[in-house]
């Protein structure tokens, strides 16, 4: 007797009700069977409905990346920090048992316009913080340190009337990531560069020089889909001449006398910091959105 639709390996099955375990995904970006697993991926908020029987699951939950900082003109502000990468939480290799019911899924947005990345969660099971925004020039005479988040944003650097000074990098909350790097400023001529944002797997790099931003910290690799993908890279710091490289895992490159690059969507990569310019205000890149993936034996 045929009990359900015939499903070929790796065939999309979005909306299909699993007869054996009665699991339905609401608003999933993809829902496939591959390598003996049913793998459900969310790029936006959704739900998992589990009926009748307990379910053993593995998960990946990645927070949104922080935005890169904004650079003002030389004389007003200097190179700014890259955004921190989103947290990467996973229980690969150690499945947990979920009782029948509804699991709420939240996917954090990437940080934009000088903001931290959004929080991603798989109900109360795993809550991944977003990365901190890169430190930047906020307004006349006001300079922000790297934002607090799963990984700290890179530090902003500026020149005081009496010498050089670097603001502190962002803090790491709940030990979900790493701190950003510090900026570096030259007292003469009047310019500097920002530190790289912290990544989920490594700290952000300090500014390489007063004209070159620091590299973003590396993210963390995960193979829940069957292929290794790296998530949560920090954004590179902005510089007057050269921007720092984005961290592996979707981090955007910092701008060299230019705007910062965006973090990659669905990776939680931080945005690159804007680079110092003689004429314009260079925005930082937006952070990459997060992702939630759940898998269980098909």
């Amino acid at each position: 007797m045929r009990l359900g639709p015939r499903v070929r390996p790796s065939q999309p099955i979005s909306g299909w009700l699993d007869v054996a375990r009665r699991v339905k995904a609401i608003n999933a970006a993809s829902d496939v069977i591959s390598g003996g697993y049913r793998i459900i991926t969310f790029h936006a908020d959704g739900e998992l409905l589990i009926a009748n029987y307990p379910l053993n699951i593995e998960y990946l939950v990645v927070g949104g990346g922080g935005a890169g900082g904004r650079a003002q003109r030389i004389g007003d502000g200097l190179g700014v920090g890259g955004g921190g990468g989103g947290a990467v939480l996973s229980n690969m290799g150690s499945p947990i048992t979920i009782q029948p019911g509804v699991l709420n899924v939240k996917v954090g947005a990437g940080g934009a316009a000088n903001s931290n990345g959004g929080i991603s969660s798989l109900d109360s099971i795993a809550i991944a913080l977003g990365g901190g925004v890169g430190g930047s020039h906020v307004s006349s005479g006001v300079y922000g340190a790297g934002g607090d988040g799963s990984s700290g944003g890179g530090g902003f650097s500026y020149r005081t009337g009496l010498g050089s000074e670097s603001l502190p990098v962002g803090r790491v909350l709940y030990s979900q990531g790493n701190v950003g790097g510090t900026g570096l400023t030259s007292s003469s001529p009047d310019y500097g560069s920002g530190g790289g944002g912290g990544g989920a797997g490594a700290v952000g790099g300090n500014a390489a020089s007063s004209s070159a931003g620091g590299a973003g910290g590396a993210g963390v690799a995960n193979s829940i889909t069957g292929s290794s993908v790296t998530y949560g890279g920090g954004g590179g710091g902005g510089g007057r001449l050269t921007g720092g490289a984005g961290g592996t895992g979707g981090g955007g490159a910092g701008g060299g006398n230019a705007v910062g690059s965006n973090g990659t969507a669905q990776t939680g990569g931080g945005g690159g910091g804007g680079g110092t310019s003689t004429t314009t205000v260079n925005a930082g890149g937006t952070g990459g959105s997060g992702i939630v993936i759940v898998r269980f034996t098909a």
Side-chain angles (χ1 to χ4, degrees):
M1 175 182 293
R2 184 177 177 184
L3 299 179
R6 189 181 304 278
V7 180
R8 299 184 181 90
S10 300
Q11 177 187 349
I13 54 173
S14 183
W16 178 60
L17 201 60
D18 185 305
V19 175
R21 296 179 177 83
R22 301 193 66 81
V23 177
K24 186 172 183 179
I26 306 298
N27 201 35
S30 66
D31 189 345
V32 302
I33 291 177
S34 179
Y37 291 97
R38 182 172 168 188
I39 304 168
I40 303 172
T41 301
F42 293 89
H43 294 167
D45 296 354
E47 294 179 335
L48 275 178
L49 311 180
I50 303 170
N52 298 335
Y53 306 104
L55 185 69
N56 295 324
I57 68 168
E58 294 174 299
Y59 61 78
L60 169 71
V61 181
V62 179
R70 178 186 66 180
Q72 291 284 65
R73 300 185 304 273
I74 287 179
D76 296 327
L78 300 168
V80 299
V88 179
L89 306 182
S90 180
N91 71 330
M92 281 283 295
S94 301
I96 60 172
T97 301
I98 304 299
Q99 298 302 317
V102 178
L103 293 182
N104 292 303
V105 175
K106 300 291 184 184
V107 177
N114 291 314
S115 64
N116 290 355
I119 296 173
S120 296
S121 62
L122 178 61
D123 218 277
S124 60
I125 298 167
I127 301 172
L129 297 177
V133 63
S136 65
H137 181 276
V138 178
S139 61
S140 180
V142 180
Y143 305 89
D148 300 333
S150 58
S151 291
F156 173 81
S157 293
Y158 70 102
R159 177 175 175 263
T160 69
L162 299 176
S164 301
E165 185 174 348
S166 297
L167 290 176
V169 299
R171 296 177 299 169
V172 174
L173 302 184
Y174 307 114
S175 301
Q176 288 190 344
N178 294 278
V179 298
T182 58
L184 182 64
T185 302
S186 168
S187 59
S188 179
D190 185 8
Y191 57 76
S193 298
V203 299
N206 297 335
S209 71
S210 59
S211 60
V220 173
N222 188 279
S223 57
I224 193 168
T225 62
S227 299
S228 181
V229 178
T230 303
Y231 303 89
R240 186 180 73 90
L241 298 178
T242 306
T248 55
N257 193 17
V259 299
S261 298
N262 297 334
T264 303
Q266 286 99 51
T267 68
T276 309
S277 171
T278 57
T279 57
T280 62
V281 175
N282 286 323
T286 60
S289 57
I291 194 170
V292 174
I293 302 175
V294 175
R295 80 175 188 180
F296 50 88
T297 303

